[in-house]
Amino acid sequence: WSLPLKSVFVTFPGDIIKNMTDTELADGYLKKFGYIDTLHRSGFQSMVSTSKALKRMQRQMGLEETGELDKSTLEAMKRPRCGVPDVAN
Amino acid sequence: YKTFAGDLKWDHQEVTYRVISYTPDMETSLVDDAFARAFKVWSDVTPLTFTRLFDGTADIMISFGKTDHGDPYPFDGKDGLLAHAYPPGEGLQGDAHFDDDEYWTLGTGPAVKTRYGNADGAMCNFPFTFEGKSYTTCTTDGRSDNLPWCSTTADYSRDKTFGFCPSELLYTFGGNADGAECVLPFVFMGEEYDSCTTEGRSDGYRWCATTSNFDNDKKFGFCPSRETAVIGGNSEGEPCHFPFVFLGKEYDSCTSEGRGDGKLWCSTTDSYDDDNKWGFCPDQGYSLFLVAAHEFGHALGLDHSNIREALMYPMYSYVKDFSLHEDDVEGIQYLYGRRAGPDPTPPQPNTPSPTSYPDPKTDPTDGPTDPTTTTRPVDPSKDACKLTKFDTITVIGGELHFFNDGQYWKMSSGTEGGLKGPFSISERWSALPAVIDSAFENLLTRKLYFFSGTRFWVYTGKSVLGPRGIEKLGLPDSVQKVEGALQRGKGKVLLFSGENYWRLDVKSQKIDKGYPRYTDAVFGGVPNDAHDVFHYQGHIYFCRDRFYWRMNSRRQVDRVGYVKYDLLKC
């Protein structure tokens, strides 16, 4: 068996860059859809609010409320959806 | 379900909408139909009605756009955010925006509606066979004019039904050229273009000139996308080029190589390495109907639901046979209540007490000797009481309207009674000609239909559609004018001309089968050459010259009288 080809990631001109880490994706998602109040963010508080925000998002999407960025939560964040926030603010 | 803070909702039931711009992915009539069906999802379970406007400001303004499209919430390229909408209210509130970096379909791959050909606008049937070969896209095979076409059945050789596919060589949409096709090559800013271009625009839409020189003529339209065109990328509208070379390797089909998100893409030239021209490959696309039904839920006041099967759930999932979840129904009825039983029937006004009227045997010109008691401050030449015949009489907004030669009078039934006018037709309905042969108000949609000669106009509030030929409704060429219109129950209207009448289905805008019928065969005892027929206060009136024949709901003529004295109250 040949070694698996190392996938080369190319930046395509005109592409809306979406190559981001899972954490960046999750953070952007929770902010965009109103789960994290983007105001008053600080270090320690941010950890608590991210876990709490994840639980709120998991409840909204009918997922298991682990407060963790698990596989099913990450997949849900990648699915096409409506742009209206889930948490009105 | 959830509603927005403060239970934001419309304070009226007749909600209006207007389509401001279109996507190149689907023929405009398919887009219109998808939106109409999406609104029907909500009007089926509430008292709400949705009326489409063609200009001016509607409650719900619908548009397509890409990335930064003019509000503070930019879209994000293909996939991800599909659309968004604002809760009810003024201005931007209530509007719906759709991301045009998406591939809009009916949810199951290219939705290609044909034009011309012999299939009467049927959809392409993919795959189809032609001369023993199978096709999954439109083709120019078999033609020398380079126009893409498709079969509308699985086997063209057997059925020979076909139509032409969306192509800039056939038509454009939007712009200012009434859908005329592109003229290629054309000159723009001194340069020659032999295909559609996004040059000169910041919104990424492809356009072309519909004359050979845009600089001189300023005539343009937007280019429909061919169903083989790539989505997004930097080659909008171009088809994949197979084979193509990427990182030195040759590809004969779409690939996800080079990407971390697994999306299939292709090069639109023979070498991506040389030209860097690419786009995403057409896929099943997103159902414009389903996404619109969701967004219109927001525009009516619903927020997101956490019920996975509900329409208002934030994530998209294609459903073949869609029906509203009870969670959606409960939410919208919390805001607007239930749809009251069958279609609302307009309240029947109480029939007027019989009033005496001069015996029609005497010559009406003798009439009562004392001068008319009306104190209307009108120019004598414009006195309705001096007219022996009107172009048409009809009821609009529950009031009798008398039209004659560019003017109209109205008999207000309220306390201040009496005839008002004359008013200028063109001031209130600017598109109308001076002579109106007949008119009616559709009581369900409040739309006003006006007929003059072989043309008709449809007014919705201030906005007008028309003139259009009455043959579009299915009336034969022999009909030179429509002389009367009678509402008959749900969405049906009888149109009278000469000795015949036809029944129009207002919703389909088509004449029902089995017509025409002879007027006097069904409405016994009235003249069969009435020049006006209308429905008023529970009775049907047939007018000829100065007289009217009044028929009650049992189709008995219960009165013959003078328009002048009984209706105009001269």
Side-chain angles (χ1 to χ4, degrees), chain B residues 160-181:
Chain B
K160 299 257 187 302
T161 53
F162 79 104
F164 290 95
C165 300
S167 156
E168 66 281 1
L169 304 177
L170 210 55
Y171 63 88
T172 57
F173 67 92
N176 64 358
D178 291 332
E181 70 279 8

Side-chain angles (χ1 to χ4, degrees), chain B residues 80-92:
Chain B
L81 304 183
L82 303 182
H84 58 219
Y86 295 83
E90 291 301 311
L92 189 62

Side-chain angles (χ1 to χ4, degrees), chain B residues 94-334:
Chain B
D95 293 357
H97 300 162
F98 296 82
D99 181 357
D100 223 347
D101 271 324
E102 309 304 344
Y103 181 36
W104 292 108
T105 66
L106 298 178
T108 58
V112 183
K113 188 175 188 307
T114 61
R115 286 198 186 189
Y116 314 118
N118 63 3
D120 199 20
M123 305 288 280
C124 289
N125 186 96
F126 294 128
F128 67 89
T129 55
F130 168 58
E131 292 185 346
K133 190 178 165 192
S134 175
Y135 293 84
T136 57
T137 65
C138 300
T139 178
T140 56
D141 285 3
R143 298 193 64 82
S144 56
D145 57 10
N146 197 28
L147 281 176
W149 67 279
C150 70
S151 172
T152 56
T153 66
D155 183 342
Y156 176 74
S157 309
R158 181 192 61 205
D159 304 316
K160 299 257 187 302
T161 53
F162 79 104
F164 290 95
C165 300
S167 156
E168 66 281 1
L169 304 177
L170 210 55
Y171 63 88
T172 57
F173 67 92
N176 64 358
D178 291 332
E181 70 279 8
C182 298
V183 169
L184 301 176
F186 63 89
V187 171
F188 170 56
M189 305 277 277
E191 276 198 46
E192 191 168 273
Y193 290 81
D194 54 17
S195 65
C196 298
T197 179
T198 57
E199 281 304 307
R201 298 192 65 86
S202 58
D203 58 10
Y205 280 94
R206 295 165 66 240
W207 68 278
C208 70
T210 56
T211 68
S212 59
N213 188 314
F214 178 80
D215 298 343
N216 296 342
D217 308 317
K218 300 287 192 282
K219 283 288 184 188
F220 80 104
F222 292 104
C223 301
S225 291
R226 300 192 183 194
E227 80 298 335
T228 51
V230 296
I231 314 290
N234 61 359
S235 317
E236 189 76 44
E238 301 302 321
C240 290
H241 184 288
F242 295 123
F244 65 87
V245 174
F246 171 57
L247 298 183
K249 203 177 150 199
E250 190 170 278
Y251 292 83
D252 286 308
S253 62
C254 298
T255 179
S256 60
E257 276 304 305
R259 297 191 64 85
D261 55 16
K263 291 179 189 171
L264 292 173
W265 68 277
C266 69
S267 167
T268 55
T269 68
D270 60 358
S271 166
Y272 176 82
D273 297 346
D274 296 345
D275 307 312
N276 281 192
K277 299 292 275 179
W278 69 287
F280 292 109
C281 294
D283 49 25
Q284 293 295 72
Y286 295 111
S287 163
L288 184 61
F289 159 69
L290 286 174
V291 175
H294 174 102
E295 297 309 331
F296 296 163
H298 288 315
L300 295 174
L302 287 183
D303 200 339
H304 282 145
S305 163
N306 60 8
I307 305 285
R308 201 183 282 256
E309 299 73 26
L311 174 65
M312 294 315 289
Y313 188 71
M315 252 104 83
Y316 170 88
S317 58
Y318 177 69
V319 176
K320 187 172 185 312
D321 300 314
F322 169 77
S323 65
L324 264 187
H325 189 277
E326 61 184 333
D327 179 70
D328 302 306
V329 176
E330 280 172 31
I332 202 70
Q333 290 184 345
Y334 166 75

Side-chain angles (χ1 to χ4, degrees), chain B residues 330-388:
Chain B
E330 280 172 31
I332 202 70
Q333 290 184 345
Y334 166 75
L335 288 172
Y336 297 100
R338 309 168 64 85
R339 176 170 179 154
D343 281 347
T345 42
Q348 293 305 325
N350 55 335
T351 45
S353 58
T355 54
S356 64
Y357 55 90
D359 177 349
K361 292 193 187 59
T362 58
D363 179 346
T365 46
D366 296 347
T369 48
D370 56 303
T372 50
T373 52
T374 44
T375 56
R376 286 182 305 288
V378 286
D379 169 343
S381 69
K382 293 179 182 166
D383 182 353
C385 288
K386 291 201 170 6
L387 296 171
T388 55

